[in-house]
Amino acid sequence: MNSDFSLAVHSLLLLAHHSEQMITSDVIAASACVHPVRARKILSLLCKNHYICSKEGAGGGFFLAKHATDIWLDELYQLISTGSLKPKCPKRNDDCLIGSNIEHVLEGIFSEAEKQVVKFLNGYNIADVLKLIKQEQN
Amino acid sequence: MNSDFSLAVHSLLLLAHHSEQMITSDVIAASACVHPVRARKILSLLCKNHYICSKEGAGGGFFLAKHATDIWLDELYQLISTGSLKPKCPKRNDDCLIGSNIEHVLEGIFSEAEKQVVKFLNGYNIADVLKLIKQEQN
DNA sequence: CTTAATGTAATAATAAATATTACAGTTAAA
DNA sequence: TTTAACTGTAATATTTATTATTACATTAAG
């Protein structure tokens, strides 16, 4: 999986950890060690899906739109990373029983497998993850 | 996930479907639309793990070392794709509570999630998948 | 107005995946 | 006993995916 999911979770954890103040994309990007434009792209997606709010202009930034206990990893996974479990298939080969059908069959199996992942991630919200992060620190 | 898992499964399905004869890496590669050298690399891994046997020299090739009902997707996933579910994390940031601990915490969560995937894939062997492929054809 | 922010498209650079080349080792059979 | 057809594998090149960068429009505070 690429790092979009981690970046989204990182951003939300940071906003949850400083829930009293607004935070800029530059601060989030520096904390996550990614480029601010990329951070804004992910933040923009989180805005559109009502996990956070943004305020434009000087003194602007981002803040949580929901309590950290109401942001669940399964939803974030589905928003950002659906399909990433499924193994890529090389080019379809219509001259071959296997080559013409393997992609669709693996698609079926791995979309079910992904449901198990989603069900498991439903056990964690951002507040839970922040708690784990703090425990880690000790 | 990259296509190594699909390629391994494709190879095993082909060998299961033609279980009476030996098949060369060139035939397998052509069926899967990948380069023969890459096919041999995966086949070599399957050999070392006793899923298939190889015979070198003229008239050589590959054949199953086990019955198709004894080759399970969970084992193949663990052999080939362990860790591919875990989201990549950008660079660690020791100046930051989140940035210094997120990787380890996500590692923990996603390695548990991956166990769910493995448990689910334990429901499918190569014979099952071949049956699904044949059903698909109709 | 000017400065500090978000929003986003277009392009460049880097990293990961895949293909290709090259060649050594093995075996059947001409 | 040499040749052709295979596997085995390292080293390199190409392609694709990911990430960073540049550029600029928009918004709002002071």
Side-chain angles (χ1 to χ4, degrees):
Chain A
M1 211 201 292
N2 68 19
S3 62
D4 285 350
F5 181 87
S6 302
L7 179 50
V9 170
H10 190 124
S11 305
L12 292 165
L13 288 168
L14 206 61
L15 294 173
H17 191 232
H18 302 286
S19 52
E20 65 297 340
Q21 56 192 313
M22 265 195 290
I23 304 189
T24 67
S25 58
D26 277 30
V27 168
I28 293 170
S31 161
C33 299
V34 300
H35 197 277
V37 173
R38 187 177 164 213
R40 269 180 247 139
K41 209 172 100 190
I42 294 285
L43 291 164
S44 166
L45 180 66
L46 294 174
C47 274
K48 282 179 185 127
N49 289 275
H50 313 295
Y51 292 106
I52 63 180
C53 296
S54 69
K55 188 164 183 306
E56 291 191 8
F62 298 87
F63 54 95
L64 288 187
K66 308 184 178 192
H67 195 266
T69 51
D70 293 326
I71 304 176
W72 296 88
L73 294 197
D74 59 325
E75 293 171 11
L76 295 172
Y77 179 91
Q78 289 185 101
L79 177 64
I80 296 164
S81 305
T82 294
S84 72
L85 179 61
K86 193 199 136 205
K88 205 186 304 172
C89 281
K91 186 153 43 87
R92 179 185 171 89
N93 181 355
D94 284 320
D95 302 339
C96 167
L97 171 68
I98 315 294
S100 55
N101 297 301
I102 188 168
E103 176 144 34
H104 191 253
V105 167
L106 288 184
E107 162 75 40
I109 293 172
F110 277 83
S111 79
E112 283 302 312
E114 194 169 60
K115 283 184 192 167
Q116 304 301 311
V117 171
V118 167
K119 194 184 294 179
F120 177 81
L121 293 179
N122 179 250
Y124 294 90
N125 61 44
I126 289 294
D128 295 329
V129 178
L130 187 56
K131 201 177 298 175
L132 289 170
I133 296 254
K134 286 172 177 167
Q135 283 170 15
E136 199 69 25
Q137 192 69 354
N138 306 328
Chain B
M1 212 201 292
N2 69 19
S3 62
D4 285 351
F5 181 88
S6 303
L7 179 51
V9 170
H10 189 124
S11 305
L12 292 165
L13 288 168
L14 207 60
L15 294 174
H17 191 233
H18 302 288
S19 52
E20 65 297 339
Q21 55 192 311
M22 264 195 289
I23 304 189
T24 67
S25 58
D26 277 29
V27 168
I28 293 170
S31 161
C33 299
V34 301
H35 197 277
V37 172
R38 186 176 164 214
R40 269 180 249 141
K41 210 172 100 189
I42 294 285
L43 291 164
S44 166
L45 181 65
L46 294 174
C47 273
K48 281 177 186 129
N49 289 274
H50 313 295
Y51 291 107
I52 63 180
C53 296
S54 68
K55 184 161 185 309
E56 292 192 5
F62 298 87
F63 55 96
L64 288 188
K66 307 183 180 194
H67 194 266
T69 52
D70 292 327
I71 303 177
W72 296 88
L73 295 196
D74 59 325
E75 292 171 11
L76 294 173
Y77 179 92
Q78 290 186 102
L79 177 63
I80 296 163
S81 304
T82 294
S84 71
L85 178 62
K86 193 199 138 205
K88 205 186 305 172
C89 281
K91 187 153 41 87
R92 179 185 171 90
N93 182 353
D94 284 320
D95 301 340
C96 167
L97 171 69
I98 316 292
S100 55
N101 297 302
I102 187 170
E103 176 144 35
H104 191 253
V105 167
L106 288 184
E107 162 75 39
I109 293 172
F110 277 83
S111 78
E112 282 302 311
E114 194 168 62
K115 283 185 192 166
Q116 305 300 310
V117 170
V118 168
K119 195 185 292 178
F120 178 80
L121 292 178
N122 179 249
Y124 293 91
N125 60 45
I126 290 294
D128 296 329
V129 178
L130 188 55
K131 203 178 295 176
L132 290 170
I133 296 255
K134 287 173 177 166
Q135 283 169 15
E136 200 68 25
Q137 192 68 352
N138 306 327

